[in-house]
Amino acid sequence: MLATQVHSAPDVFHIKVPFKNHKLDSTNCYVIRDGGDVLIVDTGAPAEKSRDYLAAALDELGVDTAQVGFFLTHLHMDHAGLIDPLAPPQAPVYLNERDYRDAHPDAPELRFADLEQALAAEGVDADQAHELISRRRSRAGIFTGDHKLVFVKEGDVIPVGRFAFQVLNTAGHTPGHQTLFEPTSGILFSGDHILFTLSPGVGLFLPEGDSVRTYLDNLRKVQQLGVKHLFHSHGDIRPDFEARIEWLIGHSTERAAQVRSIVEQHPGINGLEVTKRMDFNVPFDCWEDISRVQRLSLMEIGAAFLRHLVLEGQIRMEEDESGVRRYFAE
């Protein structure tokens, strides 16, 4: 069986769609079904193996994609990469408008230019900044076909048979990350907001925003929901999610404290050097040995925590004569 039933009333089926990167081997996609209504949560990565696996699993369940809806927690490739070949034009695709603006084919070049400038401001050489985002640039643009896009936000409801799934704003991993909560069953489809296999990367919100504070606030919001069943996007489904949420809050708090400590020990340090000194779970001792894709993610995390501490008034930022940001403890 390619699909495993993990809940009844509503019926929820888990499909582990293969996908390989430096830490993960699959994306958890879900089929919600009640009566004749079906909603698919996330689609997996845009690879032939992923597409064939998901198509076979849906066929196994008797799901006709022309008769279903799709909900995308966020628009990273490993979650929304198969929406083009999978969703026919008449199928509603529920998604966040902010994330869509960033992923729209017309937008990535502007976004990448902003990201290059942000990296350069943190002390990354301009050519290296361009090189770091080259792979992400080559894979930009998720939506190329015609789709029935339905922008949803906090408080909106997506019905599936007898059940009303509430859309929750859980930004942090991306500016428009959203999750689905069904209060009668206590089900939460959490996307990358809460994971066990790794700590979700907190994205750098451009041009504004404190993504770390946003992420922490949204973790605490989930704690108040009364969740009974959490279905996340990577790794095995586990019941101990309440303890994991507490761990994630503590982990982010400890990371912020570490960044502040680095700045205290090295007054005038730039963002690149702060990031190199942060404790990340990567199997390399040398920064240059880390892949470009992962280095870019780490730089975004480092810059996000520095911005958070500046906005919280724990450190201050000054630009030097070359426009590079220098950080000092308050």
Side-chain angles (χ1 to χ4, degrees):
M1 297 287 289
L2 302 179
T4 303
Q5 187 164 359
V6 291
H7 194 273
S8 299
D11 293 340
V12 177
F13 299 88
H14 169 215
I15 304 171
K16 199 172 184 178
V17 179
F19 147 72
K20 186 69 175 175
N21 71 2
H22 57 277
K23 283 191 175 181
L24 305 171
D25 60 7
S26 61
T27 299
N28 296 332
C29 302
Y30 299 94
V31 174
I32 311 169
R33 183 164 62 191
D34 187 62
D37 286 352
V38 174
L39 182 70
I40 296 172
V41 180
D42 287 340
T43 66
E48 184 177 354
K49 181 179 180 181
S50 304
R51 183 185 67 241
D52 292 347
Y53 191 98
L54 181 56
L58 295 176
D59 185 62
E60 181 182 278
L61 294 172
V63 171
D64 179 1
T65 56
Q67 305 296 323
V68 308
F70 296 82
F71 177 82
L72 301 176
T73 58
H74 60 296
L75 300 188
H76 284 167
M77 282 291 187
D78 57 321
H79 291 258
L82 288 176
I83 201 68
D84 262 357
L86 194 64
Q90 70 271 27
V93 179
Y94 302 97
L95 71 165
N96 176 268
E97 187 173 9
R98 168 68 187 270
D99 270 9
Y100 174 73
R101 291 203 311 267
D102 285 350
H104 190 276
D106 296 338
E109 278 308 317
L110 291 176
R111 178 162 48 89
F112 290 139
D114 289 342
L115 184 54
E116 280 192 30
Q117 291 179 5
L119 292 178
E122 300 299 343
V124 181
D125 176 80
D127 290 338
Q128 291 182 7
H130 185 80
E131 180 185 343
L132 279 176
I133 69 169
S134 60
R135 184 176 177 188
R136 190 181 291 184
R137 177 182 271 113
S138 70
R139 300 179 64 186
I142 290 174
F143 298 94
T144 58
D146 293 326
H147 295 290
K148 183 181 178 181
L149 302 180
V150 182
F151 296 125
V152 290
K153 61 184 183 304
E154 174 97 13
D156 288 342
V157 172
I158 302 174
V160 183
R162 299 165 294 164
F163 298 90
F165 285 84
Q166 300 173 358
V167 177
L168 299 176
N169 172 11
T170 47
H173 182 60
T174 69
H177 192 288
Q178 295 183 140
T179 52
L180 276 183
F181 180 61
E182 202 291 301
T184 62
S185 62
I187 291 173
L188 178 70
F189 294 95
S190 68
D192 278 358
H193 187 55
I194 301 162
L195 298 174
F196 290 86
T197 56
L198 72 169
S199 173
V202 177
L204 179 63
F205 292 180
L206 295 173
E208 79 297 321
D210 182 348
S211 55
V212 176
R213 172 54 53 202
T214 300
Y215 179 62
L216 289 169
D217 288 347
N218 284 327
L219 283 174
R220 294 188 175 98
K221 178 169 69 176
V222 168
Q223 287 182 310
Q224 306 304 314
L225 291 176
V227 175
K228 298 177 183 176
H229 309 280
L230 185 133
F231 299 129
H232 52 84
S233 291
H234 302 288
D236 295 335
I237 298 169
R238 294 171 48 170
D240 54 335
F241 53 84
E242 291 179 352
R244 182 61 178 180
I245 294 172
E246 283 292 342
W247 185 92
L248 289 169
I249 292 171
H251 178 66
S252 292
T253 303
E254 290 170 5
R255 178 162 281 173
Q258 183 195 32
V259 170
R260 189 179 191 282
S261 177
I262 292 169
V263 172
E264 285 179 338
Q265 295 171 34
H266 304 277
I269 192 172
N270 64 38
L272 172 61
E273 293 303 321
V274 168
T275 304
K276 287 181 178 181
R277 288 171 167 80
M278 292 172 67
D279 291 332
F280 291 111
N281 185 20
V282 294
F284 302 101
D285 295 326
C286 179
W287 175 258
E288 285 70 24
D289 291 338
I290 302 172
S291 71
R292 284 181 296 177
V293 172
Q294 196 170 10
R295 269 186 283 160
L296 177 56
S297 296
L298 299 181
M299 276 300 307
E300 287 194 70
I301 292 170
F305 273 87
L306 285 164
R307 178 184 292 182
H308 167 68
L309 291 170
V310 169
L311 292 173
E312 294 275 308
Q314 297 191 44
I315 63 175
R316 75 177 189 276
M317 182 272 292
E318 299 177 4
E319 286 192 2
D320 65 19
E321 63 279 359
S322 61
V324 174
R325 295 171 178 174
R326 303 287 176 175
Y327 296 94
F328 304 84
E330 287 287 74

